[in-house]
Amino acid sequence: RFTYILLLEFCKSDHTMNLTRRGSEYVGDLLGVNFNQDCSSVAVGTRSGYKLYQFSSVERLDKLHEMMGEDACIVERLFSSSLVVVVGLSHPHKLRVYHFKKGTEICNYSYLTKILNVKLNRQRLIVVLEDSLCIHTIKDMKVIHTITETPPNPAGICGFSMSAERSYLAYPGSSQVGEVQIFDTVNLQSVTMIQAHDGRLAALAFTDDGTKLATASSKGTVIRVFQSSDGSKLFEFRRGVKRYVEINCLAFSPDGVYLCASSNTETVHIFKLELQKEKHDEESQGWMGYFSKALATPASYLPSQVTDVFTQGRSFAMAHLQKPGQRNICAIVLMQRIPRLVVVTADAFVHIYNINPVEGGQCVLIKQHNLLKMDEEESDPAAVCLYRQQQ
């Protein structure tokens, strides 16, 4: 066991998905929930400790580990390994690294300012502070690089690729507009800069292979997907038109074909990354195909804003939450080789939905779990029955 004190004036902060956070205050026992990199497990941080659960099946979450005694608001597990990184609410400047199967603390680091977010892949550990990012190596946990004097990032927004080939880090390049900086954490050099949105950034997410980056702004109406290597725009999706929303989470499916987006509304959207040719082939026989061709002509008299609305992609599928307005995270998880939409809300419930990969449309809720009552093995007979009917 050993301790490093980092005397870095510029290291400030970032955060993971602290579900019950409102400014600097937390409510209830649940402090944070987070999926691991491949979404095979979920970490639950509470005022009394943390727990790790494996997504074994729709009907059951298996408890892998439990550590009680100290609060935990950030819990990051490295894939399916025994390495876990924990930050506590009572000690927000200290990062602890554990080997949970051995029950040992590998090391801990203390920063001058509060840790807002932590990200991992098999090569690097990223600590996000409000105006800097610290890059550690996984093999010995040493700090090899610090990105200093970044724009204020009190929400700890960042995206980190799980890919070994493209170990890219994305973070806000401005606190006023949606500028994204992409940094190669292996070669320790800048990759590209993307002017993603007019408004400030709200969420970032990479595909598993690190080739694509999804972005959303504080308006929450448009979600864009860019090529991570050069910043070229690949897709643009419209989440809504009538109202601005707060995007809570963006997440790609393991194959990178689908992108889910959750917000402070009751609807979770799933977008499908289709090539324009595929899309046009499907629409060519209908009125939308005719209208799309009209919009594409140089002589179109419609304003550019109107043209954008009609050419942006729409939801392929969507799910409805029972309680809108709660903080949440979402992911498309493979359970017994079948993709499911999983949404975890601030009331500690895990909502699991069926996805129709061909037709899309409305996702069906098939099971709910309460993460704070898993030890009681509670069961909702109606949900179990509904799940079995779907099989």
Side-chain angles (χ1 to χ4, degrees), residues 58 318-322 340-343 349-355 362-369 380 382-390:
V58 169
M318 62 183 66
H320 289 283
L321 301 175
Q322 297 172 345
R340 312 284 189 182
L341 173 66
V342 178
V343 183
F349 274 89
V350 178
H351 311 263
I352 303 176
Y353 297 83
N354 255 350
I355 304 172
Q362 186 66 42
C363 297
V364 179
L365 178 65
I366 55 175
K367 184 63 180 174
Q368 291 176 306
H369 299 279
D380 182 350
V384 172
C385 180
L386 180 60
Y387 165 67
R388 286 172 177 163
Q389 289 175 359
Q390 297 295 322

Side-chain angles (χ1 to χ4, degrees), residues 5 19 246 294 380:
I5 305 296
L19 292 177
E246 176 188 346
D380 182 350

Side-chain angles (χ1 to χ4, degrees), residues 41-103:
S41 65
V42 62
V44 184
T46 69
R47 292 187 181 275
S48 56
Y50 74 88
K51 298 178 183 180
L52 301 175
Y53 292 98
Q54 180 91 18
F55 287 110
S56 301
S57 67
V58 169
E59 293 186 337
R60 192 179 79 245
L61 301 184
D62 290 335
K63 185 164 69 175
L64 299 173
H65 177 67
E66 179 178 5
M67 173 77 76
M68 308 304 288
E70 294 188 26
D71 57 57
C73 58
I74 298 176
V75 183
E76 284 276 343
R77 183 190 183 197
L78 179 62
F79 289 93
S80 297
S81 74
S82 300
L83 190 146
V84 176
V85 178
V86 180
V87 178
L89 180 62
S90 55
H91 300 284
H93 301 142
K94 178 172 281 191
L95 178 143
R96 294 182 172 91
V97 183
Y98 296 99
H99 189 294
F100 71 79
K101 286 188 178 179
K102 293 182 179 178

Side-chain angles (χ1 to χ4, degrees), residues 98-111:
Y98 296 99
H99 189 294
F100 71 79
K101 286 188 178 179
K102 293 182 179 178
T104 59
E105 180 179 290
I106 298 172
C107 65
N108 66 69
Y109 284 81
S110 292
Y111 296 84

Side-chain angles (χ1 to χ4, degrees), residues 17-18 40 77 86 94 107 135 145 156 164 167 175 199 232 300-301 310 312 355:
M17 187 58 67
N18 291 321
S40 61
R77 183 190 183 197
V86 180
K94 178 172 281 191
C107 65
I135 302 173
H145 188 75
S167 185
S175 58
S232 57
S300 177
Y301 58 84
F310 281 97
Q312 289 161 342
I355 304 172

Side-chain angles (χ1 to χ4, degrees), residues 117-184:
N117 206 350
V118 176
K119 295 294 181 183
L120 303 170
N121 65 20
R122 289 188 172 92
Q123 297 169 294
R124 298 289 185 258
L125 181 154
I126 310 299
V127 176
V128 184
L129 307 172
E130 188 171 355
D131 59 4
S132 64
L133 301 102
C134 301
I135 302 173
H136 300 244
T137 59
I138 286 292
K139 63 179 181 181
D140 56 16
M141 294 299 166
K142 290 182 179 179
V143 179
I144 58 170
H145 188 75
T146 302
I147 303 173
T148 61
E149 300 181 324
T150 59
N153 184 17
I157 296 169
C158 74
F160 191 41
S161 168
M162 60 185 272
S163 169
E165 183 180 351
R166 302 174 190 85
S167 185
Y168 291 165
L169 170 67
Y171 61 93
S174 169
S175 58
Q176 303 298 321
V177 297
E179 177 184 308
V180 184
Q181 295 286 343
I182 299 182
F183 188 83
D184 185 334

